[in-house]
Amino acid sequence: MATIHVDGQSYEVNGADNLLQACLSLGLDIPYFCWHPAMGSVGACRQCAVRQYKGSDDHKGTLVMSCMTPAADGTRIDIEDEEARAFRASVVEWLMINHPHDCPVCEEGGHCHLQDMTVMTGHDRRRYRFRKRTRRNQYLGPFIAHEMNRCITCYRCVRFYNDYAGGKDLGAFGAKDNIYFGRHEEGTLESRFAGNLTEVCPTGVFTDQSHSDHYTRKWDLQFAPSICHQCAVGCNISPGERYGDIRRIENRYHGEVNGYFLCDLGRFGYGYVNRTDRPRVPEWRPSPGEQPAELEVDAALARIGDALKHARRVVGIGSPRASLESNYQLRQLVGLANFSTGIEAREQDCLERMNDITRSCGLPVPTLREVEQHDAVLVLGEDPMESAARLGLAIRQAITAPPSERAAKLGIPGWNAEAMKTLAQDHRQPLFIAYPAATELDEIARPRLSLAPDDIARLGFAIAHAIDASAPAVTDLDDGLHKQAGDIARALMEADRPLVVSGGSLACPAVLDAAGNIARALARRVSGGGLMLIRREVNSTGLSLMGGQPLDWALAQLSGGEADAVVILENDLYQRLPDNQVDAALDRAEVRVVLDHQRTRTLAQANFSLPAASFAEADGTLVSLEGRAQRFFQVFDPAYMRPEARIHESWRWLHALSARKNTSGSGDITLDQVTGACAGACPELAAIVGAAPDAGYRVEGLRLAREPHRYSGRTSMRANQNVSEPRAPQDPDTAFAFSMEGYSGYQEPRQQVPFAWAPGWNSPQAWNKFTDEVGGHLRGGDPGVRLLAPRPGQYHYATAIPHAFRPGGDDCQAVVLPRLFGGDETSARAEQIRQRMERPVLLLSQADATPLGAELGGLVTVTGEHACVSLPACVQTDWPAGLVGLPAGSVPAGIAGGRVTLTAGPGSTPTPGEEVQP
């Protein structure tokens, strides 16, 4: 700690910070542009000038850039010095000489850092009267719009895109005052994190293209704290709504998880919420394929309740993309013995195995913030950039981290970005990847080991044995892999904080067992290790902790006549199991009730369908891959702008059905009640009640506002329907109000912050006002509660080592590889994601492609036991022979993991953005 003196006041600060960071952490405002909490200082903009004095006897002082000056003990500065204020105002003026001053038409208006800093410096007159330099803008893809005329040359964009995220197709071109930030030619930005430019850029150079299609100022958006539903990482997001549609998603700061950044899937994958073909009222179909008849709520509940009451046995099929509350209410409706998780058996086995390994391996599960501190990483059978992109970005930070010990010896502070970058040069911490396909992390890793799943597992078992001789050995491992296993084991042992990353992408339990063996071996040898296991869907972890039978069991009960009714919760069964298996089950079911917010193939087979709320219209709890239970909250009431809609949370529908079935009256239910009931019934989920404050939480006696205090009001929002404006929706489930009335400040610490705003800070940089220190944690505590942790006890090494993979003659083994854009069933319905999806291809080895004549990308048909698909071949030089890689989201269920045959010839080839139906 250090004592600094600011404007005559003394403060205790972190002596490792620079003056800018220290003052912002104290709540003292200093304008800045080029500095960013996650990327450090470069001193490019000269905006953060303050007057520094040598000591108490120095009354003259000198102007210094606070971002480049350490907060050393005894430092004396004046922020309010007249010369410093004049200098800062002049900096804004010269930075804006070529700026178009187009705030009224700029999409950044209202949450623009440049606007905030201009007001903060007092600059309010444009004196430049000459011709301004103008630029030609570029097309940068469906996510990002480009307007170079607004650039103030802060270099934040390229520092994030190139240095932090590892992108290569965005650069700074030119010199002096003639710098252009863009691509060498027009085209889609390739990085999976390009969307962060919309928040990193302090002006309107890079704006949200998906928002442009239905633009609304920030002050006219209604927000709520939410959780990204596109993968299992659990990133915190702030969705903004206007007129019943989600208009944009911004990053919501979480000190332990996503920090300041999101992946593009989480930022732009919301389009399925706004689809016009969504089910909005209950429907009844006499038989599949017939046009549905619309029903009112009471009629629908009466019919469904009567049908379920007279059924011999009702099976419930849950969903890992639905909340814990909704799954629990389904379990209550059908009974524990009749509840299925809705997850295919092999995947459920992997999920349960991951939970057991996490509890018993002896290594903790790190947060993403902690992942960035690890100094050696082994990725076994996963591609984090495709299956959990934000985790992949954290791994990148861990590997590219500059050598901190060497920097300390040279006296280089960690915030000095350019000095640390120069010191690091090509320094890399050890990263090892065992995975059959090329990954984005390969460029910073040791040579990737391209192996089949069973061989990846064998390598993992050998690494564990090399670390701890009591772990089972792989006796028939070839010499090359044996040497590589030893090298990896030594690197992990020499590290202070080794990390093992694995998961279920390859659907191979042996890979998970191998990862568990490595983790246990490390736990016996090192003290700072960690284990991260990637799950596929947003609530896969939570549903596996709740328990239930696999989807295969549920379909067998229906097709075998053991049950004659089924209730399906937010789950398209055709995405999980072969068509014939699903059809056989649904054809035998006399009563088929489906709750969903999308028109899926499964919903089209329903007798009765109920319109479920999406994440933007519902409240609920999810459990991330690290075992963190987090609450997401309703952004808007769907019936307010669309009175004809009858959309409700799935748990509310299911509670009503339970009441009808049990003839106990409809009753009422709140989120707190169903969350408490779920926690009480499921011991593994007992702590979820503490994931967020309850509905009675107040700040200074006030609810929490969903709308900024400058919200334009509701008086004209429905004038096209009725000039008599209805009362704002009431929310009995949460502490939030559907209005600007309520607390929206930062003075009182709070955990759940719908949007970042503070007086003078309208941009995303306002998050600095809500944290205990800049880049630290929310002052009210980071949201969520951890459910999974290592338990004391004896862990026994797994011993079922698979045989080496051998090509199978005429057939191959199929593996489905995760892909970020288009790999999940909901975001693939979002228009921006569909535009970003790449053309699906089959990955083949040269040895398998040549006999088919497909070396140059010809069509190849893959035929499995239940389905086939035809796609163009793509030869990868190091791809294992006898293996065929299929892209997730573009192949019918039932092919993955089994033996398939390959034949050359034409077939139906999906195009980018096409919704592939099995």
Side-chain angles (χ1 to χ4, degrees):
M1 299 298 290
T3 300
I4 65 173
H5 309 276
V6 183
D7 293 330
Q9 300 292 320
S10 298
Y11 301 95
E12 291 289 325
V13 300
N14 186 348
D17 292 343
N18 57 49
L19 284 175
L20 175 60
Q21 186 170 353
C23 289
L24 291 174
S25 295
L26 292 169
L28 305 174
D29 292 345
I30 299 178
Y32 63 89
F33 286 119
C34 64
W35 177 81
H36 188 279
M39 297 184 289
S41 307
V42 292
C45 70
R46 324 305 290 171
Q47 181 62 78
C48 61
V50 297
R51 183 172 292 279
Q52 181 181 18
Y53 302 94
K54 295 179 180 178
S56 58
D57 297 332
D58 182 7
H59 300 291
K60 184 177 181 181
T62 57
L63 292 182
V64 299
M65 300 306 117
S66 57
C67 75
M68 298 300 292
T69 306
D73 191 46
T75 298
R76 294 177 179 273
I77 63 171
D78 273 355
I79 299 174
E80 298 303 323
D81 175 77
E82 287 300 323
E83 186 179 356
R85 288 168 59 92
F87 182 84
R88 294 196 296 263
S90 69
V91 169
V92 167
E93 187 173 23
W94 83 56
L95 288 176
M96 295 182 66
I97 281 179
N98 289 294
H99 191 280
H101 292 77
D102 59 344
C103 299
V105 297
C106 176
E107 294 187 14
E108 199 74 3
H111 64 294
C112 173
H113 188 63
L114 176 60
Q115 285 179 333
D116 290 347
M117 298 301 98
T118 302
V119 173
M120 191 178 294
T121 57
H123 172 62
D124 60 1
R125 293 292 183 275
R126 181 175 64 178
R127 296 185 294 169
Y128 185 75
R129 292 293 180 267
F130 303 96
R131 182 175 182 144
K132 293 186 178 240
R133 180 188 60 221
T134 57
R135 303 288 196 183
R136 177 181 177 273
N137 303 318
Q138 291 183 322
Y139 170 76
L140 299 178
F143 294 160
I144 304 296
H146 191 225
E147 178 49 79
M148 257 306 293
N149 292 320
R150 300 171 184 149
C151 182
I152 59 171
T153 324
C154 71
Y155 287 89
R156 267 202 205 172
C157 57
V158 292
R159 289 176 58 215
F160 167 77
Y161 194 90
N162 299 336
D163 300 342
Y164 194 94
K168 296 185 179 304
D169 58 321
L170 182 74
F173 303 93
K176 297 183 179 179
D177 64 344
N178 187 26
I179 306 294
Y180 187 92
F181 295 93
R183 301 182 86 247
H184 71 286
E185 63 179 4
E186 287 195 340
T188 299
L189 288 170
E190 297 170 1
S191 172
R192 293 164 171 80
F193 307 96
N196 292 291
L197 294 174
T198 64
E199 295 185 27
V200 166
C201 176
T203 73
V205 176
F206 300 98
T207 54
D208 185 336
Q209 184 68 46
S210 70
H211 187 205
S212 302
D213 299 336
H214 44 203
Y215 182 75
T216 302
R217 295 291 188 193
K218 178 177 180 176
W219 61 71
D220 277 335
L221 290 173
Q222 181 169 258
F223 300 90
S226 193
I227 306 299
C228 177
H229 277 54
Q230 308 312 326
C231 78
V233 172
C235 294
N236 286 215
I237 58 174
S238 288
E241 172 268 347
R242 182 71 165 175
Y243 297 124
D245 289 332
I246 294 296
R247 300 301 179 94
R248 73 179 302 172
I249 285 179
E250 293 185 291
N251 181 73
R252 180 163 64 97
Y253 184 84
H254 191 297
E256 292 288 0
V257 185
N258 47 291
Y260 292 95
F261 306 121
L262 295 174
C263 76
D264 286 355
L265 179 63
R267 188 180 295 274
F268 302 109
Y270 64 85
Y272 64 92
V273 176
N274 299 338
R275 287 182 67 114
T276 57
D277 63 347
R278 282 184 55 186
R280 300 190 186 276
V281 295
E283 294 176 348
W284 170 60
R285 293 177 182 81
S287 60
E290 291 191 22
Q291 284 296 108
E294 296 183 355
L295 298 175
E296 278 300 322
V297 171
D298 288 341
L301 292 176
R303 288 196 184 195
I304 298 172
D306 184 65
L308 296 179
K309 191 185 305 182
H310 290 87
R312 286 185 294 103
R313 183 182 174 204
V314 183
V315 168
I317 298 177
S319 171
R321 63 175 168 91
S323 67
L324 289 176
E325 288 83 355
S326 294
N327 280 286
Y328 171 74
Q329 283 300 119
L330 176 60
R331 197 178 86 165
Q332 286 296 98
L333 172 66
V334 301
L336 177 59
N338 299 316
F339 175 71
S340 165
T341 61
I343 302 172
E344 182 260 337
R346 290 177 304 171
E347 183 178 355
Q348 182 157 322
D349 175 60
C350 288
L351 290 171
E352 293 170 354
R353 197 172 299 233
M354 284 188 265
N355 293 340
D356 291 340
I357 292 171
T358 299
R359 296 188 192 99
S360 60
C361 74
L363 289 186
V365 179
T367 65
L368 292 196
R369 189 188 189 99
E370 292 168 340
V371 166
E372 296 179 358
Q373 307 304 316
H374 284 271
D375 54 357
V377 180
L378 168 64
V379 179
L380 202 69
E382 273 291 346
D383 182 357
M385 283 295 190
E386 297 289 353
S387 56
R390 189 59 186 82
L391 171 60
L393 185 63
I395 292 173
R396 180 178 181 82
Q397 305 319 304
I399 301 307
T400 60
S404 55
E405 293 183 1
R406 186 180 174 195
K409 290 180 181 178
L410 295 174
I412 301 175
W415 47 260
N416 194 329
E418 286 303 306
M420 294 294 282
K421 180 180 175 181
T422 300
L423 177 66
Q425 299 281 342
D426 294 326
H427 170 80
R428 297 287 184 268
Q429 307 283 18
L431 169 62
F432 305 95
I433 300 175
Y435 191 70
T439 79
E440 190 176 301
L441 292 173
D442 289 354
E443 63 178 8
I444 58 172
R446 308 291 172 87
R448 176 176 48 85
L449 302 173
S450 183
L451 303 170
D454 286 346
D455 289 338
I456 292 174
R458 289 164 58 82
L459 173 70
F461 282 112
I463 294 171
H465 178 73
I467 296 172
D468 180 4
S470 64
V474 185
T475 56
D476 57 342
L477 195 67
D478 67 68
D479 293 340
L481 277 183
H482 182 78
K483 180 181 182 304
Q484 289 171 323
D487 293 341
I488 295 172
R490 278 189 295 275
L492 295 177
M493 289 282 288
E494 292 169 359
D496 294 325
R497 302 194 66 191
L499 173 66
V500 180
V501 177
S502 189
S505 288
L506 298 179
C508 181
V511 170
L512 298 173
D513 288 340
N517 277 15
I518 298 171
R520 183 54 180 163
L522 286 174
R524 294 182 176 183
R525 296 290 184 268
V526 299
S527 58
L531 172 68
M532 183 73 84
L533 298 174
I534 298 174
R535 282 77 163 176
R536 185 163 71 96
E537 293 177 87
V538 62
N539 212 12
S540 294
T541 308
L543 203 52
S544 64
L545 293 174
M546 177 180 287
Q549 297 292 336
L551 177 59
D552 311 59
W553 169 89
L555 297 189
Q557 297 296 302
L558 293 167
S559 58
E562 299 296 323
D564 60 341
V566 61
V567 180
I568 303 171
L569 169 66
E570 298 180 35
N571 199 336
D572 187 3
L573 309 186
Y574 291 95
Q575 299 283 332
R576 301 182 185 276
L577 286 174
D579 289 16
N580 56 359
Q581 195 171 341
V582 177
D583 287 338
L586 296 182
D587 288 346
R588 289 291 302 272
E590 297 177 9
V591 180
R592 301 176 295 277
V593 182
V594 177
L595 299 87
D596 211 332
H597 49 78
Q598 301 297 314
R599 292 198 178 276
T600 65
R601 293 180 66 195
T602 301
L603 185 134
Q605 301 297 316
N607 299 124
F608 301 97
S609 62
L610 295 174
S614 68
F615 77 91
E617 302 143 343
D619 312 292
T621 307
L622 306 168
V623 184
S624 70
L625 56 81
E626 64 171 275
R628 183 185 299 272
Q630 300 183 99
R631 191 83 29 85
F632 63 95
F633 295 94
Q634 187 178 19
V635 184
F636 65 98
D637 181 349
Y640 185 73
M641 288 307 301
R642 298 183 176 93
E644 74 282 1
R646 300 293 182 265
I647 296 173
H648 296 288
E649 299 95 332
S650 291
W651 52 263
R652 206 178 293 277
W653 280 120
L654 292 165
H655 170 74
L657 288 178
S658 294
R660 295 277 182 159
K661 180 185 176 187
N662 300 324
T663 63
S664 59
S666 62
D668 201 1
I669 191 171
T670 64
L671 177 67
D672 289 342
Q673 290 173 335
V674 67
T675 302
C678 179
C682 307
E684 296 282 3
L685 303 174
I688 65 172
V689 175
D694 61 22
Y697 178 79
R698 298 292 184 270
V699 176
E700 298 180 344
L702 300 172
R703 283 180 172 268
L704 306 180
R706 279 183 170 93
E707 299 169 357
H709 77 284
R710 298 169 300 164
Y711 198 82
S712 297
R714 301 181 300 274
T715 56
S716 62
M717 289 183 66
R718 292 181 53 185
N720 62 319
Q721 301 175 27
N722 193 326
V723 294
S724 177
E725 195 72 14
R727 182 188 184 193
Q730 303 302 296
D731 189 355
D733 298 311
T734 75
F736 295 93
F738 285 107
S739 70
M740 71 181 86
E741 290 81 23
Y743 186 79
S744 60
Y746 67 91
Q747 294 85 355
E748 295 296 325
R750 55 194 171 113
Q751 181 188 84
Q752 299 293 341
V753 184
F755 54 89
W757 177 88
W761 296 85
N762 298 280
S763 76
Q765 294 296 295
W767 284 113
N768 295 337
K769 292 291 186 180
F770 293 86
T771 53
D772 53 4
E773 62 176 346
V774 173
H777 304 272
L778 293 180
R779 288 190 287 122
D782 290 323
V785 58
R786 295 288 288 268
L787 304 181
L788 284 174
R791 296 175 180 172
Q794 185 64 32
Y795 171 82
H796 301 286
Y797 285 114
T799 58
I801 301 173
H803 297 292
F805 177 74
R806 295 284 184 268
D810 294 334
D811 57 6
C812 293
Q813 180 182 344
V815 292
V816 174
L817 304 177
R819 59 173 180 162
L820 190 68
F821 301 123
D824 69 291
E825 65 174 285
T826 52
S827 69
R829 297 171 177 267
E831 184 57 35
Q832 274 72 26
I833 298 298
R834 288 155 63 85
Q835 293 179 38
R836 187 66 171 81
M837 288 164 58
E838 297 179 355
R839 188 178 182 84
V841 296
L842 300 176
L843 291 181
L844 293 174
S845 68
Q846 185 73 49
D848 291 325
T850 299
L852 300 170
E855 307 96 319
L856 302 179
L859 282 176
V860 174
T861 298
V862 181
T863 304
E865 182 180 356
H866 300 285
C868 69
V869 64
S870 297
L871 292 170
C874 177
V875 175
Q876 184 175 302
T877 55
D878 59 352
W879 182 265
L883 202 68
V884 55
L886 302 161
S890 293
V891 294
I895 288 185
R899 306 300 298 186
V900 296
T901 58
L902 306 180
T903 54
S908 175
T909 307
T911 57
E914 179 182 347
E915 291 185 18
V916 180
Q917 301 294 343

